[in-house]
Amino acid sequence: MRSYSKLKLIFPYSCYFVGRLISIPLAALFTPAKIILATSIGCLTSTLILCFYGTSQTWALFLSTGIMGLCLCFHFGSAINWLNSKTEKSTNISFIYMGANLSSLCYPPLVSKLFDLDPNFVSYLAVSSVVSLILCFCCMIVLAKKLK
């Protein structure tokens, strides 16, 4: 059996790098909200491919990690841009960034416990995380429009 370990390591990061290169011109063409929603749908597509085919098909593993790397690179910069456009310039928003990063601390222990039960549960967690991301961002867009 051939080992794809180096390719599995390089491929998502190379897609992430390509995404960072194309994100700069795309940020001038589209609003941050459109970029975040489009790339969130791309992340959802990649996690669904991983969930349904990733454990049995090698092509699905590479395709889903590549799409995820390509779509995920847009989120941080677009989220900062969107948040800065919705808040006052004098507002200290560092607590928002710190809180968003602190919430990701729960994933490593949760993933290890789920992996002990069944490795497929990790894919289900990824799908549920992306769906909750899309729902939270849609609620934030609605709230921002109502507060204007």
Side-chain angles (χ1 to χ4, degrees):
M1 187 169 141
R2 293 175 53 189
S3 174
Y4 295 109
S5 61
K6 288 183 182 178
L7 188 59
K8 283 191 274 187
L9 179 66
I10 294 170
F11 189 67
Y13 290 116
S14 60
C15 290
Y16 187 88
F17 174 72
V18 169
R20 293 297 290 171
L21 288 177
I22 64 173
S23 68
I24 296 167
L26 285 179
L29 297 174
F30 300 106
T31 63
K34 288 180 183 177
I35 291 174
I36 292 172
L37 286 176
T39 56
S40 295
I41 291 170
C43 288
L44 181 62
T45 303
S46 70
T47 54
L48 289 174
I49 291 171
L50 184 65
C51 187
F52 291 126
Y53 301 110
T55 57
S56 61
Q57 303 290 329
T58 305
W59 64 266
L61 178 67
F62 286 113
L63 180 68
S64 62
T65 55
I67 293 172
M68 183 65 80
L70 186 68
C71 293
L72 200 59
C73 68
F74 289 86
H75 278 233
F76 186 72
S78 297
I80 290 174
N81 193 6
W82 183 81
L83 188 60
N84 284 334
S85 70
K86 300 298 178 191
T87 59
E88 296 178 16
K89 300 303 179 211
S90 62
T91 306
N92 188 358
I93 56 174
S94 62
F95 289 112
I96 296 172
Y97 298 131
M98 186 176 66
N101 290 325
L102 285 176
S103 67
S104 65
L105 291 175
C106 68
Y107 281 108
L110 184 61
V111 166
S112 69
K113 294 294 182 189
L114 289 174
F115 194 81
D116 287 342
L117 296 174
D118 184 13
N120 289 329
F121 285 156
V122 177
S123 299
Y124 303 146
L125 177 67
V127 171
S128 64
S129 297
V130 172
V131 168
S132 66
L133 169 88
I134 292 171
L135 291 175
C136 286
F137 189 69
C138 289
C139 290
M140 287 170 44
I141 289 174
V142 169
L143 285 173
K145 285 183 181 181
K146 285 185 179 182
L147 292 176
K148 271 191 172 184

